[in-house]
Amino acid sequence: KKKLLAMYGNGLRYYAGKLGNTANAQLGVLVLAFLMSAESGGIFTVAFQLITRVMLIPDTLFVLLSPKCAASKDGAPDLVTNFARYNCALCTIVLFLFFFLCGPFINSIYPPEFFDAVLLIKIMTIGVLMRCSTKILVPYFLGTNLPGVASLSVVLGLIVNIIGYFIFVPILGLSGAAISVILSYFTSSLLLFIYFSSYTKSSFRKCFIINISDITSLKDTWKKSNNA
């Protein structure tokens, strides 16, 4: 019975964060419906949905990493940091392309009224990079029975987002909404890193900066795959 209760408690702590994550993703449209016109809400939705597609990268790595962290007694922190470095490098490259190519893309796909989405995408790029980079740390917390850390980071980010919308949107309009997203992702990302670093003694460099050994490992893997 105690094990069953512990399992339910673990699930509730994790899904509290999942619920907050879903609310965070949809909150912009709901709040902007009160603060701005429907057209502005549509522009923000387009920008947000496009730039957050990059999160498919850490989400995919999350699926690959989670079973290994769960099977390890210590949550496999070294493996998590390895994944995190590759993830950060890949997301940086993709977001760099997003930053410079979003203008031509939106011009070719959407009517001229949506061109304001370009600026929003560029503003939100740094926030999305922070979120993508630290999202890959979550499997460690799930594997070490600390799902509450992930949930707490999302809930705090959600609170910051709500406050940010009501402060910045009336002053800065759509740009204020984008700034609120950055502050939200910064808050959740900072909390995840602080907890991960305190539990694993991992530095920022070890978590997010790709090194020579990583590049060498990629080359070796590439050679092996070509020779197979």
Side-chain angles (χ1 to χ4, degrees):
K1 186 176 180 180
K2 288 183 179 180
K3 289 184 178 180
L4 185 62
L5 289 174
M7 182 182 70
Y8 278 120
N10 190 65
L12 285 173
R13 282 180 288 164
Y14 175 64
Y15 281 103
K18 293 288 286 184
L19 182 62
N21 217 5
T22 303
N24 206 8
Q26 304 300 325
L27 186 63
V29 180
L30 296 176
V31 174
L32 288 178
F34 290 100
L35 300 176
M36 302 187 74
S37 65
E39 290 78 10
S40 296
I43 293 171
F44 180 82
T45 300
V46 168
F48 185 81
Q49 292 296 328
L50 283 176
I51 192 64
T52 53
R53 292 304 92 191
V54 181
M55 290 189 189
L56 288 172
I57 298 172
D59 286 344
T60 302
L61 296 176
F62 185 107
V63 173
L64 297 174
L65 189 57
S66 291
K68 298 182 183 297
C69 293
S72 174
K73 292 182 179 179
D74 62 351
D78 290 335
L79 183 63
V80 171
T81 54
N82 285 342
F83 268 68
R85 291 194 299 273
Y86 289 123
N87 170 69
C88 185
L90 182 57
C91 290
T92 299
I93 294 170
V94 173
L95 285 168
F96 180 84
L97 295 175
F98 252 93
F99 188 90
F100 288 102
L101 298 179
C102 61
F105 175 78
I106 288 180
N107 280 336
S108 62
I109 299 296
Y110 296 96
E113 292 79 10
F114 283 87
F115 188 73
D116 287 343
V118 175
L119 177 61
L120 301 182
I121 290 174
K122 292 184 176 183
I123 293 173
M124 288 188 285
T125 296
I126 185 63
V128 172
L129 177 58
M130 288 186 286
R131 179 60 180 160
C132 286
S133 298
T134 55
K135 199 173 185 181
I136 199 68
L137 304 179
V138 173
Y140 168 80
F141 298 112
L142 301 183
T144 54
N145 197 29
L146 294 168
V149 173
S151 297
L152 179 63
S153 71
V154 172
V155 171
L156 286 181
L158 176 61
I159 293 171
V160 170
N161 206 7
I162 294 173
I163 295 172
Y165 280 136
F166 282 102
I167 292 176
F168 294 111
V169 171
I171 300 173
L172 301 173
L174 283 172
S175 296
I179 291 172
S180 298
V181 170
I182 293 177
L183 294 176
S184 170
Y185 286 154
F186 173 77
T187 302
S188 60
S189 299
L190 181 62
L191 188 67
L192 282 175
F193 173 69
I194 288 174
Y195 271 97
F196 183 81
S197 179
S198 65
Y199 279 112
T200 65
K201 310 303 178 185
S202 299
S203 65
F204 180 90
R205 182 181 183 86
K206 183 178 181 180
C207 290
F208 305 119
I209 307 300
I210 201 163
N211 54 48
I212 299 299
S213 62
D214 294 327
I215 298 173
T216 302
S217 178
L218 277 177
K219 289 181 179 179
D220 292 340
T221 302
W222 178 263
K223 288 179 181 179
K224 290 178 181 179
S225 63
N226 287 335
N227 295 331

